[in-house]
Amino acid sequence: MYHSPYHSAMLQKIFTNGNFTKTNDNYMRTSNETYRLFAELLDEVEIFRIPEISFSDICRLLKVRPSALDSLLIKELGMSGEELLENRRRGSLD
């Protein structure tokens, strides 16, 4: 998966800022932290500008099951991760 040096730097910042608790080589975080990280990827990193990246790719970066994040997004925003990603790509969300 390709991303620009800018995106690489922002991803590195997000994933090394201490928001993860490491246990037995697994990363554990709360739903709120996962939701916040997903929002940062969309809003700060603007990961949606990478045309090749899918919602599943983002979930892989976040080490979360797509169905789990989808459920959270539907509950909070009323749309799935794919819908949110595509809306951002079309510029229909603020």
Side-chain angles (χ1 to χ4, degrees), residues 49-65:
R49 296 189 187 277
I50 304 170
E52 301 83 16
I53 201 158
S54 69
F55 178 68
S56 293
D57 294 330
I58 294 171
C59 289
R60 209 171 2 270
L61 286 171
L62 294 174
K63 297 182 190 237
V64 64
R65 287 177 301 131

PDB file of all heavy atoms in Angstrom, residues 49-65:
ATOM      1  N   ARG A  49      -7.448  10.438   0.865  1.00  0.00           N
ATOM      2  CA  ARG A  49      -6.845  10.946  -0.368  1.00  0.00           C
ATOM      3  C   ARG A  49      -5.960   9.910  -1.059  1.00  0.00           C
ATOM      4  O   ARG A  49      -5.523  10.111  -2.184  1.00  0.00           O
ATOM      5  CB  ARG A  49      -6.056  12.214  -0.097  1.00  0.00           C
ATOM      6  CG  ARG A  49      -6.944  13.351   0.378  1.00  0.00           C
ATOM      7  CD  ARG A  49      -6.192  14.653   0.430  1.00  0.00           C
ATOM      8  NE  ARG A  49      -6.983  15.684   1.028  1.00  0.00           N
ATOM      9  CZ  ARG A  49      -7.890  16.413   0.388  1.00  0.00           C
ATOM     10  NH1 ARG A  49      -8.117  16.187  -0.888  1.00  0.00           N
ATOM     11  NH2 ARG A  49      -8.566  17.347   1.013  1.00  0.00           N
ATOM     12  N   ILE A  50      -5.683   8.824  -0.384  1.00  0.00           N
ATOM     13  CA  ILE A  50      -4.926   7.719  -0.987  1.00  0.00           C
ATOM     14  C   ILE A  50      -5.959   6.823  -1.664  1.00  0.00           C
ATOM     15  O   ILE A  50      -6.678   6.083  -0.997  1.00  0.00           O
ATOM     16  CB  ILE A  50      -4.132   6.930   0.070  1.00  0.00           C
ATOM     17  CG1 ILE A  50      -3.210   7.855   0.851  1.00  0.00           C
ATOM     18  CG2 ILE A  50      -3.352   5.801  -0.599  1.00  0.00           C
ATOM     19  CD1 ILE A  50      -2.573   7.211   2.065  1.00  0.00           C
ATOM     20  N   PRO A  51      -6.077   6.916  -2.992  1.00  0.00           N
ATOM     21  CA  PRO A  51      -7.178   6.223  -3.674  1.00  0.00           C
ATOM     22  C   PRO A  51      -7.174   4.713  -3.498  1.00  0.00           C
ATOM     23  O   PRO A  51      -8.227   4.089  -3.512  1.00  0.00           O
ATOM     24  CB  PRO A  51      -7.006   6.596  -5.141  1.00  0.00           C
ATOM     25  CG  PRO A  51      -5.772   7.389  -5.263  1.00  0.00           C
ATOM     26  CD  PRO A  51      -5.220   7.645  -3.899  1.00  0.00           C
ATOM     27  N   GLU A  52      -6.016   4.127  -3.305  1.00  0.00           N
ATOM     28  CA  GLU A  52      -5.930   2.670  -3.228  1.00  0.00           C
ATOM     29  C   GLU A  52      -6.342   2.128  -1.868  1.00  0.00           C
ATOM     30  O   GLU A  52      -6.548   0.924  -1.720  1.00  0.00           O
ATOM     31  CB  GLU A  52      -4.495   2.192  -3.505  1.00  0.00           C
ATOM     32  CG  GLU A  52      -3.940   2.579  -4.839  1.00  0.00           C
ATOM     33  CD  GLU A  52      -3.371   4.001  -4.868  1.00  0.00           C
ATOM     34  OE1 GLU A  52      -3.134   4.584  -3.799  1.00  0.00           O
ATOM     35  OE2 GLU A  52      -3.187   4.524  -5.966  1.00  0.00           O
ATOM     36  N   ILE A  53      -6.436   2.976  -0.852  1.00  0.00           N
ATOM     37  CA  ILE A  53      -6.694   2.467   0.493  1.00  0.00           C
ATOM     38  C   ILE A  53      -8.185   2.203   0.689  1.00  0.00           C
ATOM     39  O   ILE A  53      -9.029   2.983   0.275  1.00  0.00           O
ATOM     40  CB  ILE A  53      -6.129   3.406   1.579  1.00  0.00           C
ATOM     41  CG1 ILE A  53      -5.951   2.630   2.867  1.00  0.00           C
ATOM     42  CG2 ILE A  53      -6.987   4.626   1.768  1.00  0.00           C
ATOM     43  CD1 ILE A  53      -4.966   3.248   3.807  1.00  0.00           C
ATOM     44  N   SER A  54      -8.471   1.079   1.290  1.00  0.00           N
ATOM     45  CA  SER A  54      -9.861   0.698   1.554  1.00  0.00           C
ATOM     46  C   SER A  54     -10.135   0.783   3.052  1.00  0.00           C
ATOM     47  O   SER A  54      -9.217   0.917   3.871  1.00  0.00           O
ATOM     48  CB  SER A  54     -10.110  -0.730   1.071  1.00  0.00           C
ATOM     49  OG  SER A  54      -9.406  -1.644   1.893  1.00  0.00           O
ATOM     50  N   PHE A  55     -11.387   0.663   3.405  1.00  0.00           N
ATOM     51  CA  PHE A  55     -11.757   0.632   4.818  1.00  0.00           C
ATOM     52  C   PHE A  55     -11.080  -0.554   5.498  1.00  0.00           C
ATOM     53  O   PHE A  55     -10.591  -0.432   6.627  1.00  0.00           O
ATOM     54  CB  PHE A  55     -13.280   0.563   4.959  1.00  0.00           C
ATOM     55  CG  PHE A  55     -13.741   0.476   6.382  1.00  0.00           C
ATOM     56  CD1 PHE A  55     -13.570   1.550   7.245  1.00  0.00           C
ATOM     57  CD2 PHE A  55     -14.348  -0.667   6.859  1.00  0.00           C
ATOM     58  CE1 PHE A  55     -13.988   1.480   8.562  1.00  0.00           C
ATOM     59  CE2 PHE A  55     -14.780  -0.747   8.165  1.00  0.00           C
ATOM     60  CZ  PHE A  55     -14.602   0.328   9.019  1.00  0.00           C
ATOM     61  N   SER A  56     -11.006  -1.688   4.819  1.00  0.00           N
ATOM     62  CA  SER A  56     -10.328  -2.872   5.386  1.00  0.00           C
ATOM     63  C   SER A  56      -8.849  -2.595   5.643  1.00  0.00           C
ATOM     64  O   SER A  56      -8.301  -3.038   6.652  1.00  0.00           O
ATOM     65  CB  SER A  56     -10.477  -4.074   4.459  1.00  0.00           C
ATOM     66  OG  SER A  56     -11.816  -4.473   4.408  1.00  0.00           O
ATOM     67  N   ASP A  57      -8.206  -1.847   4.731  1.00  0.00           N
ATOM     68  CA  ASP A  57      -6.794  -1.479   4.927  1.00  0.00           C
ATOM     69  C   ASP A  57      -6.636  -0.616   6.179  1.00  0.00           C
ATOM     70  O   ASP A  57      -5.697  -0.794   6.954  1.00  0.00           O
ATOM     71  CB  ASP A  57      -6.254  -0.698   3.731  1.00  0.00           C
ATOM     72  CG  ASP A  57      -6.181  -1.520   2.460  1.00  0.00           C
ATOM     73  OD1 ASP A  57      -5.987  -2.748   2.545  1.00  0.00           O
ATOM     74  OD2 ASP A  57      -6.320  -0.924   1.373  1.00  0.00           O
ATOM     75  N   ILE A  58      -7.554   0.327   6.351  1.00  0.00           N
ATOM     76  CA  ILE A  58      -7.500   1.203   7.519  1.00  0.00           C
ATOM     77  C   ILE A  58      -7.692   0.381   8.796  1.00  0.00           C
ATOM     78  O   ILE A  58      -6.971   0.576   9.779  1.00  0.00           O
ATOM     79  CB  ILE A  58      -8.551   2.329   7.418  1.00  0.00           C
ATOM     80  CG1 ILE A  58      -8.197   3.259   6.252  1.00  0.00           C
ATOM     81  CG2 ILE A  58      -8.642   3.108   8.725  1.00  0.00           C
ATOM     82  CD1 ILE A  58      -9.269   4.275   5.905  1.00  0.00           C
ATOM     83  N   CYS A  59      -8.618  -0.553   8.758  1.00  0.00           N
ATOM     84  CA  CYS A  59      -8.832  -1.417   9.915  1.00  0.00           C
ATOM     85  C   CYS A  59      -7.588  -2.246  10.221  1.00  0.00           C
ATOM     86  O   CYS A  59      -7.234  -2.434  11.393  1.00  0.00           O
ATOM     87  CB  CYS A  59     -10.037  -2.328   9.684  1.00  0.00           C
ATOM     88  SG  CYS A  59     -11.596  -1.423   9.727  1.00  0.00           S
ATOM     89  N   ARG A  60      -6.911  -2.690   9.180  1.00  0.00           N
ATOM     90  CA  ARG A  60      -5.666  -3.440   9.371  1.00  0.00           C
ATOM     91  C   ARG A  60      -4.623  -2.557  10.050  1.00  0.00           C
ATOM     92  O   ARG A  60      -3.921  -2.992  10.959  1.00  0.00           O
ATOM     93  CB  ARG A  60      -5.174  -3.964   8.019  1.00  0.00           C
ATOM     94  CG  ARG A  60      -4.401  -5.232   8.120  1.00  0.00           C
ATOM     95  CD  ARG A  60      -4.054  -5.920   6.802  1.00  0.00           C
ATOM     96  NE  ARG A  60      -4.427  -5.322   5.539  1.00  0.00           N
ATOM     97  CZ  ARG A  60      -5.583  -5.552   4.894  1.00  0.00           C
ATOM     98  NH1 ARG A  60      -6.484  -6.346   5.407  1.00  0.00           N
ATOM     99  NH2 ARG A  60      -5.833  -4.980   3.740  1.00  0.00           N
ATOM    100  N   LEU A  61      -4.525  -1.292   9.628  1.00  0.00           N
ATOM    101  CA  LEU A  61      -3.601  -0.350  10.278  1.00  0.00           C
ATOM    102  C   LEU A  61      -3.942  -0.160  11.755  1.00  0.00           C
ATOM    103  O   LEU A  61      -3.052  -0.048  12.591  1.00  0.00           O
ATOM    104  CB  LEU A  61      -3.646   1.013   9.587  1.00  0.00           C
ATOM    105  CG  LEU A  61      -2.988   1.159   8.244  1.00  0.00           C
ATOM    106  CD1 LEU A  61      -3.333   2.515   7.625  1.00  0.00           C
ATOM    107  CD2 LEU A  61      -1.480   1.017   8.371  1.00  0.00           C
ATOM    108  N   LEU A  62      -5.235  -0.109  12.037  1.00  0.00           N
ATOM    109  CA  LEU A  62      -5.690   0.106  13.407  1.00  0.00           C
ATOM    110  C   LEU A  62      -5.731  -1.176  14.230  1.00  0.00           C
ATOM    111  O   LEU A  62      -6.011  -1.133  15.425  1.00  0.00           O
ATOM    112  CB  LEU A  62      -7.086   0.733  13.395  1.00  0.00           C
ATOM    113  CG  LEU A  62      -7.184   2.133  12.823  1.00  0.00           C
ATOM    114  CD1 LEU A  62      -8.642   2.572  12.735  1.00  0.00           C
ATOM    115  CD2 LEU A  62      -6.378   3.117  13.657  1.00  0.00           C
ATOM    116  N   LYS A  63      -5.483  -2.311  13.569  1.00  0.00           N
ATOM    117  CA  LYS A  63      -5.532  -3.624  14.208  1.00  0.00           C
ATOM    118  C   LYS A  63      -6.884  -3.867  14.864  1.00  0.00           C
ATOM    119  O   LYS A  63      -6.991  -4.214  16.042  1.00  0.00           O
ATOM    120  CB  LYS A  63      -4.395  -3.779  15.222  1.00  0.00           C
ATOM    121  CG  LYS A  63      -3.043  -3.713  14.566  1.00  0.00           C
ATOM    122  CD  LYS A  63      -1.936  -3.913  15.546  1.00  0.00           C
ATOM    123  CE  LYS A  63      -0.681  -3.602  14.901  1.00  0.00           C
ATOM    124  NZ  LYS A  63       0.399  -4.174  14.672  1.00  0.00           N
ATOM    125  N   VAL A  64      -7.936  -3.649  14.062  1.00  0.00           N
ATOM    126  CA  VAL A  64      -9.305  -3.842  14.530  1.00  0.00           C
ATOM    127  C   VAL A  64     -10.088  -4.550  13.429  1.00  0.00           C
ATOM    128  O   VAL A  64      -9.792  -4.387  12.248  1.00  0.00           O
ATOM    129  CB  VAL A  64      -9.953  -2.484  14.901  1.00  0.00           C
ATOM    130  CG1 VAL A  64     -10.094  -1.594  13.700  1.00  0.00           C
ATOM    131  CG2 VAL A  64     -11.286  -2.668  15.592  1.00  0.00           C
ATOM    132  N   ARG A  65     -11.049  -5.356  13.823  1.00  0.00           N
ATOM    133  CA  ARG A  65     -11.894  -6.029  12.840  1.00  0.00           C
ATOM    134  C   ARG A  65     -12.802  -5.014  12.161  1.00  0.00           C
ATOM    135  O   ARG A  65     -13.401  -4.168  12.832  1.00  0.00           O
ATOM    136  CB  ARG A  65     -12.748  -7.106  13.500  1.00  0.00           C
ATOM    137  CG  ARG A  65     -11.973  -8.341  13.919  1.00  0.00           C
ATOM    138  CD  ARG A  65     -12.853  -9.338  14.633  1.00  0.00           C
ATOM    139  NE  ARG A  65     -13.434  -8.681  15.821  1.00  0.00           N
ATOM    140  CZ  ARG A  65     -14.729  -8.710  16.128  1.00  0.00           C
ATOM    141  NH1 ARG A  65     -15.583  -9.373  15.402  1.00  0.00           N
ATOM    142  NH2 ARG A  65     -15.177  -8.075  17.197  1.00  0.00           N
TER     143      ARG A  65
END
